[in-house]
Amino acid sequence: MVLSGKRILLIISGGIAAYKSLDLIRRLRERGASVRPLMTKGAQEFVTPLAVGALAADHVFTDLFSRQDEQDVGHIRLARDCDLVVIAPATADLLAKLANGLADDLASTVLLATDRPVLAAPAMNPHMWAHPATKRNVETLRGDRIRFIGPMPGEMAESREAGVGRMAEPLEIVAAAETLLSDRPKPLAGRRAIVTSGPTHEPIDPVRYIANRSSGRQGHAIAAALATLGADVTLVSGPVSIPDPVGVKVIHVERADQMRDAVLAALPADVAVMVAAVADWRVASAADQKIKKHPGESIPTLALTENPDILKTVGHHTMRPKLVIGFAAETQDVESNARAKLDRKGADIIVANDVSPATGIMGGVRNRVKIVTHSGIELWPDLAKEEVATRLAAMIAERLKQ
Ligand code: C5P
């Protein structure tokens, strides 16, 4: 239990997602953490300090100039007497303040004064998240080593609008906190890893594309597991609707050629794990304008051309990582196809899985894999994708030791 005995300072700022913070407090406490809540003025418009304090079983801090609080704890101690600071929800306003070093209320002052790791779970309207000012602030904060979980795509609570801006779910925030506080050994410290994940979208015209059912769950979990073991991870992700893993540098791309460029730019590395379900083909020349349907006219034919094989490129590269790992998503002859792939792609390990629709693996949360190497084959049981990732990361750490 990573969180057992850990002290969490939970900063709740003013957004409708604050209602989820009540549940977050329960989830953190269930895992043995103590939660000390701090609410901004805005937060108190959405949930009451009474509810927050009752769930946290602690005093709720709200005021920078409270003489009583200053006497009892003081804002500097508040900032330091914890193992982790979690901001949930983190509003655009609070992020902007922190990015610029403002300290005009208790939350911003504590955030400026803390020397503890900070995990932010942003929640805001999609336009606010997409605004260049917010983007700049988030970039600055990442540089300052503030970690982010979410925001997620989905429908907003306060409007019918959909987009990226919804706060991560309490359990996702808990998982991110566990990753940050994990004191497991770091056998991959100082090692660089590149992971690809998700599908690619290959445009047909400005509104249509070719894609596949990959969710990115397996690749993202591997990136997170490698980071937990201390690796410096670059995750190159195709379009997915799951959050960026915590503690990982994420490069978002759409097409296979962009994915290849991002992977090559991230070299050198000690290990490359190519999990993405890269489209094998793209439309030879995507149309600049939407292809229109005209009654009576013939149905258009799409001429395809081959996409770059990223795994093969990396496997035969002059800067080839010491360990190159590929996936083989097959619907038949899984083993023999995986063996053939080892040589063709220049890989050391192929993780083979049967993605026939009946298995529910593609897009699902569990996986049953076979680890194919030059020296044999290992069958792993049916596992959660996170568990496959943890085992694979341990295997990578073992192999890089040699
Ligand atoms: O040849 P196939 O697509 O079955 O190979 C799967 C493996 O190759 C996966 O590791 C996948 O990430 C990688 N791959 C790639 N670039 C492609 C196609 C597949 O990196 N264009």
Side-chain angles (χ1 to χ4, degrees):
M1 289 286 266
V2 177
L3 292 178
S4 178
K6 295 286 195 264
R7 297 161 309 161
I8 298 192
L9 176 68
L10 175 64
I11 297 182
I12 306 176
S13 59
I16 181 67
Y19 79 90
K20 286 200 221 171
S21 307
L22 299 177
D23 191 38
L24 175 61
I25 296 172
R26 295 190 56 210
R27 303 293 160 217
L28 290 167
R29 293 195 65 210
E30 260 169 24
R31 285 160 181 75
S34 61
V35 179
R36 173 168 273 182
L38 188 167
M39 298 175 74
T40 64
K41 215 161 173 253
Q44 295 168 60
E45 299 289 334
F46 292 93
V47 289
T48 65
L50 191 64
V52 170
L55 287 168
D58 200 348
H59 177 71
V60 183
F61 292 82
T62 53
D63 191 358
L64 180 58
F65 300 111
S66 155
R67 261 184 279 156
Q68 190 61 51
D69 286 356
E70 273 306 298
Q71 217 165 45
D72 294 344
V73 180
H75 65 273
I76 300 297
R77 249 185 68 201
L78 200 54
R80 308 261 169 86
D81 276 3
C82 61
D83 300 292
L84 174 70
V85 180
V86 177
I87 320 173
T91 56
D93 177 67
L94 188 54
L95 293 177
K97 276 186 184 163
L98 185 55
N100 291 286
L102 298 188
D104 63 352
D105 65 358
L106 186 59
S108 51
T109 305
V110 161
L111 284 166
L112 208 57
T114 191
D115 56 357
R116 305 288 141 169
V118 176
L119 173 67
M124 63 195 75
N125 174 277
H127 289 284
M128 293 169 77
W129 177 250
H131 194 284
T134 306
K135 281 191 175 163
R136 274 196 307 275
N137 291 334
V138 169
E139 214 36 59
T140 303
L141 291 170
R142 284 191 205 278
D144 293 344
R145 300 196 57 75
I146 305 292
R147 309 301 185 95
F148 285 87
I149 174 78
M152 321 291 281
E155 206 158 294
M156 300 297 111
E158 83 280 19
S159 64
R160 283 277 172 88
E161 261 173 279
V164 176
R166 209 165 51 80
M167 186 168 89
E169 294 303 322
L171 285 180
E172 290 167 334
I173 300 173
V174 166
E178 284 175 337
T179 305
L180 279 178
L181 289 176
S182 153
D183 42 18
R184 267 183 268 174
K186 309 270 186 219
L188 289 175
R191 302 288 197 174
R192 286 171 54 90
I194 307 173
V195 180
T196 65
S197 184
T200 61
H201 285 183
E202 307 297 335
I204 296 170
D205 64 21
V207 296
R208 304 182 179 99
Y209 55 83
I210 300 174
N212 58 64
R213 295 185 192 282
S214 169
S215 64
R217 283 202 185 95
Q218 187 62 82
H220 279 51
I222 291 169
L226 291 168
T228 303
L229 296 191
D232 173 2
V233 184
T234 301
L235 171 65
V236 184
S237 173
V240 294
S241 57
I242 56 173
D244 290 351
V246 172
V248 165
K249 178 178 178 202
V250 188
I251 300 171
H252 293 276
V253 298
E254 291 211 348
R255 308 187 308 259
D257 59 339
Q258 296 169 331
M259 187 174 274
R260 177 209 42 208
D261 292 349
V263 165
L264 296 183
L267 287 173
D270 299 283
V271 54
V273 194
M274 306 284 95
V275 196
V278 183
D280 288 315
W281 308 282
R282 67 175 182 277
V283 176
S285 49
D288 294 340
Q289 304 294 331
K290 184 181 171 198
I291 304 170
K292 300 288 281 181
K293 187 169 75 176
H294 295 295
E297 273 188 19
S298 59
I299 296 168
T301 314
L302 296 177
L304 301 180
T305 186
E306 207 167 324
N307 259 334
D309 189 319
I310 305 166
L311 174 59
K312 197 168 160 189
T313 309
V314 171
H316 294 98
H317 202 275
T318 46
M319 282 201 276
R320 182 191 192 278
K322 182 168 176 208
L323 204 51
V324 175
I325 302 176
F327 270 65
E330 305 283 351
T331 54
Q332 53 192 356
D333 300 331
V334 178
E335 263 175 63
S336 56
N337 281 328
R339 280 185 190 286
K341 214 159 277 185
L342 267 183
D343 289 324
R344 196 171 72 243
K345 305 257 192 179
D348 304 288
I349 300 175
I350 291 286
V351 182
N353 51 9
D354 183 349
V355 292
S356 0
T359 65
I361 284 175
M362 197 109 176
V365 296
R366 298 186 73 78
N367 206 352
R368 183 191 285 271
V369 302
K370 297 175 177 154
I371 306 292
V372 183
T373 65
H374 289 287
S375 53
I377 183 162
E378 228 180 85
L379 307 185
W380 287 4
D382 176 61
L383 299 166
K385 286 182 174 171
E386 286 76 14
E387 182 59 25
V388 170
T390 306
R391 289 189 184 205
L392 191 66
M395 189 176 200
I396 291 167
E398 200 49 48
R399 286 213 167 204
L400 286 181
K401 244 186 4 202
Q402 292 157 11

